[in-house]
C-alpha cells in the first residue's frame, strides 16, 4: 500500500496497520520522520525493528554500495523493503517521504495507492501552486492500480482525476464514493464503497480532521479485501479503537509534584508543521478543555511560518518560542519577528527545549493546557523528555 499526501499520511498508514494486524495479518509499516529513534520508522504489527536486524540490513546495504553514496531516505527505504522481505510480511504499508513522483518509495507497484489530501508544503521542492504539488503527489499513480483519495474539491482533485484517467487507474474519492459522518458522543459512521454503513465507530485518533483519515483508511481496506486481504468487522472496530500515532494530537497528563498532592500538568503534542496542519490543530483545540493555552512552538526555517503563527498565536495566552537541534530550524528570534504585532507581548524566546518545557510548567495552572507544536523535530525532542523513548530498548 503506497500512501502519499500533504497531511494525514501517518494517521492513515498507522490505522491500516492496526486494522490489518488485528485481523491476524503480518503487516509492515514504514513511516517518516521519526520522533527520537530511527527504528520508529520500521514496524511489523506492534514490533519495532530489533537492533540486531537493523544492524544486519544496514551492513548489507553498506557492503553492497561499496563506497557509492545514497541519501539517508534512500537508505531507510531500502532497509524497510529488505526487512519486510526477510520477515515475509503479508502486506507492507509504505509512506511517501516527500512528494511522490521522485520519492524513493516510488519504486514499488502497490495493490492500492492512497493520496490523503493536497495542500501547500515543501514549495521549494514540489512547486508553488496546488496543481504543481498535486502533480507530484499523483506521481505515485501506476497503470491499472486503484487509488483512494481524500483530496478536496479543488485544483488538486482535477489533477488526481486526470492522472488516474491517463493511467487507467480506478479512483475512489472521499465524499463521492465513500464518506464518514459524525455521531453523538464522539463516535462516527463509515459509509463504504459497497454495502451497509458501519455505525458507532470509536476512533482513538482525536480531531475532526481524523474522520477523513479514518474513512480513507477504511476505503483502502475495502480495496485490499477485493485483492485477497479481507478483514472482519470486529478487527476493523478493534483497530480503530486501539490505533496509536504518537505526537499527533497526543493528549496526556503528568504529575506536577509528589503523588500526595494530586496536581497534574496537561499536555497536547502535535506535529502540525504546515498551514493546513496548523488549521486542523487550531480547530481541534476546543476538544481539549483548558483555562489558558500555553504554546511551546518551533518551526523549520524553510516552512511557510508566518501564516501558521498568525493562525495559532491568537489562541495562546502565553507563547514560548524555542529551537530543536539542526541547521534547518528557525531561531526563536526569527520566529518572534514573524509573529503578528499584537502577539509579541505574550511571547518569550527560550533557546533550549528543556528550558522551554520548564518555563511552561512554571506558568501553567492545573487547568491549563501545555501544547507543543510547529515541528515534528520539536515534538520528538519534547516527547522524549516527557515520556521517554517510543522504542523501549533505545
Amino acid at each position: 500500500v503506497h500512501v502519499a499526501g500533504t497531511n494525514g499520511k501517518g494517521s492513515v498508514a498507522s490505522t491500516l496497520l492496526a486494522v490489518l494486524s488485528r485481523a491476524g495479518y503480518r503487516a509492515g509499516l514504514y513511516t517518516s520522520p521519526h520522533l527520537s529513534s530511527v527504528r520508529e520508522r520500521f514496524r511489523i504489527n506492534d514490533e519495532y525493528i530489533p537492533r540486531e536486524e537493523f544492524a544486519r540490513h544496514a551492513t548489507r546495504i553498506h557492503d553492497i554500495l561499496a563506497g557509492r553514496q545514497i541519501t539517508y531516505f534512500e537508505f531507510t527505504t531500502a532497509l524497510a523493503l529488505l526487512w519486510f522481505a526477510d520477515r515475509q510480511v503479508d502486506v507492507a504499508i509504505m509512506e511517501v517521504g516527500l512528494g511522490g513522483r521522485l520519492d524513493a518509495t516510488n519504486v514499488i507497484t502497490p495493490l492500492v495507492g492512497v493520496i490523503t489530501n493536497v495542500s501547500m508544503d515543501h514549495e521549494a521542492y514540489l512547486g508553488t501552486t496546488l496543481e504543481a504539488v498535486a502533480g507530484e503527489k499523483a506521481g505515485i499513480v501506476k497503470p491499472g492500480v486503484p487509488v483512494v483519495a481524500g483530496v478536496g474539491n479543488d485544483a488538486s482533485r482535477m489533477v488526481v482525476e486526470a492522472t488516474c484517467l491517463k493511467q487507467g487507474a480506478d479512483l475512489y474519492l472521499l465524499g463521492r464514493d465513500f464518506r464518514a459522518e459524525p455521531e453523538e458522543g464522539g463516535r462516527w459512521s463509515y459509509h463504504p464503497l459497497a454495502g451497509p454503513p458501519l455505525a458507532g465507530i470509536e476512533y482513538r485518533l482525536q480531531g475532526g480532521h481524523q474522520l477523513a483519515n479514518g474513512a480513507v483508511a477504511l476505503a483502502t481496506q475495502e480495496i485490499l479485501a477485493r485483492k485477497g486481504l479481507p478483514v472482519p468487522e470486529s478487527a476493523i472496530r478493534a483497530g480503530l479503537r486501539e490505533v496509536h500515532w504518537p505526537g499527533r494530537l497526543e493528549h496526556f497528563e503528568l504529575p506536577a509534584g509528589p503523588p500526595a498532592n494530586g496536581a497534574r500538568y496537561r499536555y497536547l503534542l502535535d506535529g502540525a508543521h504546515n498551514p493546513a496542519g496548523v488549521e486542523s490543530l487550531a480547530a481541534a483545540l476546543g476538544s481539549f478543555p483548558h483555562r489558558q493555552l500555553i504554546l511551546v512552538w518551533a518551526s523549520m526555517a524553510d516552512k511557510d511560518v508566518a501564516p501558521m503563527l498568525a493562525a495559532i498565536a491568537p489562541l495562546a495566552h502565553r507563547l514560548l518560542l524555542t529551537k530543536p537541534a539542526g541547521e534547518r530550524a528557525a531561531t526563536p528570534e526569527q520566529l518572534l519577528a514573524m509573529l503578528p504585532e499584537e502577539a509579541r507581548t505574550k511571547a518569550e524566546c527560550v533557546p533550549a527545549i528543556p528550558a522551554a518545557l520548564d518555563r511552561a510548567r512554571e506558568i501553567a495552572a492545573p487547568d491549563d493546557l501545555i501544547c507543543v507544536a510547529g515541528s515534528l523535530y520539536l515534538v520528538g525532542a519534547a516527547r522524549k523528555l516527557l515520556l521517554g523513548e517510543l522504542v523501549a530498548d533505545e
Side-chain angles (χ1 to χ4, degrees):
V1 181
H2 202 190
V3 185
T6 303
N7 292 308
K9 295 189 296 293
S11 297
V12 169
S14 58
T15 299
L16 273 171
L17 176 82
V19 167
L20 287 161
S21 62
R22 296 321 181 265
Y25 295 108
R26 189 186 292 116
L29 176 66
Y30 171 59
T31 58
S32 61
H34 55 269
L35 294 177
S36 53
S37 165
V38 68
R39 288 166 55 212
E40 295 167 28
R41 297 179 180 224
F42 317 89
R43 278 172 65 187
I44 294 175
N45 294 359
D46 294 325
E47 177 196 9
Y48 292 102
I49 188 169
R51 284 171 174 271
E52 183 276 328
E53 292 180 59
F54 181 95
R56 177 159 49 85
H57 291 299
T59 302
R60 185 178 169 198
I61 294 168
H62 174 269
D63 292 348
I64 287 169
L65 284 170
R68 288 171 293 170
Q69 294 296 301
I70 59 172
T71 67
Y72 182 86
F73 190 73
E74 286 168 337
F75 161 74
T76 57
T77 303
L79 197 148
L81 293 168
L82 286 170
W83 186 47
F84 294 157
D86 190 47
R87 286 284 198 102
Q88 297 184 315
V89 297
D90 300 309
V91 58
I93 304 155
M94 304 288 292
E95 181 192 346
V96 166
L98 175 66
R101 182 175 65 92
L102 300 175
D103 193 72
T105 61
N106 209 23
V107 296
I108 63 174
T109 301
L111 296 169
V112 55
V114 179
I115 301 173
T116 57
N117 51 58
V118 178
S119 59
M120 299 309 295
D121 197 12
H122 300 293
E123 285 95 332
Y125 303 100
L126 303 181
T128 55
T129 66
L130 205 57
E131 291 93 336
V133 176
E136 294 298 321
K137 309 287 186 192
I140 70 160
V141 179
K142 305 292 193 306
V145 175
V147 174
V148 174
V151 291
N153 191 10
D154 53 27
S156 68
R157 176 168 162 172
M158 290 189 286
V159 171
V160 172
E161 286 180 320
T163 306
C164 288
L165 190 63
K166 183 180 177 182
Q167 295 282 34
D170 291 335
L171 175 61
Y172 301 93
L173 281 169
L174 175 67
R176 185 190 74 183
D177 303 305
F178 63 96
R179 68 185 193 280
E181 290 185 355
E183 297 177 347
E184 290 183 2
R187 300 186 180 194
W188 50 277
S189 61
Y190 171 63
H191 297 256
L193 301 173
L198 199 63
I201 289 172
E202 299 174 67
Y203 197 23
R204 186 173 175 184
L205 302 184
Q206 300 190 58
H209 61 289
Q210 293 291 8
L211 263 69
N213 293 329
V216 166
L218 292 184
T220 304
Q221 179 49 51
E222 281 190 81
I223 302 298
L224 290 175
R226 297 175 187 178
K227 305 246 180 191
L229 292 162
V231 170
E233 182 181 322
S234 59
I236 290 173
R237 290 187 180 277
L240 291 167
R241 198 168 49 243
E242 296 164 17
V243 60
H244 185 42
W245 189 226
R248 283 76 172 182
L249 284 183
E250 185 178 13
H251 185 248
F252 56 89
E253 296 183 0
L254 292 175
N261 74 17
R264 301 178 75 78
Y265 292 116
R266 291 192 282 179
Y267 293 91
L268 182 68
L269 308 187
D270 192 63
H273 57 275
N274 54 42
V278 171
E279 194 177 303
S280 294
L281 169 60
L285 282 171
S287 305
F288 303 94
H290 57 274
R291 183 181 67 92
Q292 292 196 334
L293 179 69
I294 296 154
L295 183 63
V296 179
W297 182 276
S299 291
M300 295 298 105
D302 56 2
K303 293 287 182 178
D304 197 7
V305 180
M308 292 193 280
L309 285 170
I312 199 76
L315 305 178
H317 296 85
R318 300 290 290 274
L319 186 54
L320 305 176
L321 304 172
T322 189
K323 179 182 181 294
E327 296 174 2
R328 284 179 55 215
T331 65
E333 291 73 22
Q334 287 172 324
L335 295 173
L336 184 66
M338 292 185 221
L339 270 176
E341 192 77 41
E342 63 276 11
R344 292 179 192 174
T345 55
K346 59 185 179 183
E348 297 177 41
C349 294
V350 189
I353 293 171
L357 293 174
D358 286 343
R359 181 67 180 135
R361 286 187 284 261
E362 284 175 19
I363 298 168
D367 51 355
D368 291 342
L369 180 65
I370 300 170
C371 178
V372 181
S375 164
L376 277 167
Y377 297 97
L378 166 65
V379 168
R383 192 184 192 282
K384 183 177 177 179
L385 290 166
L386 295 168
L387 297 174
E389 286 284 2
L390 194 56
V391 180
D393 63 341
E394 187 57 71

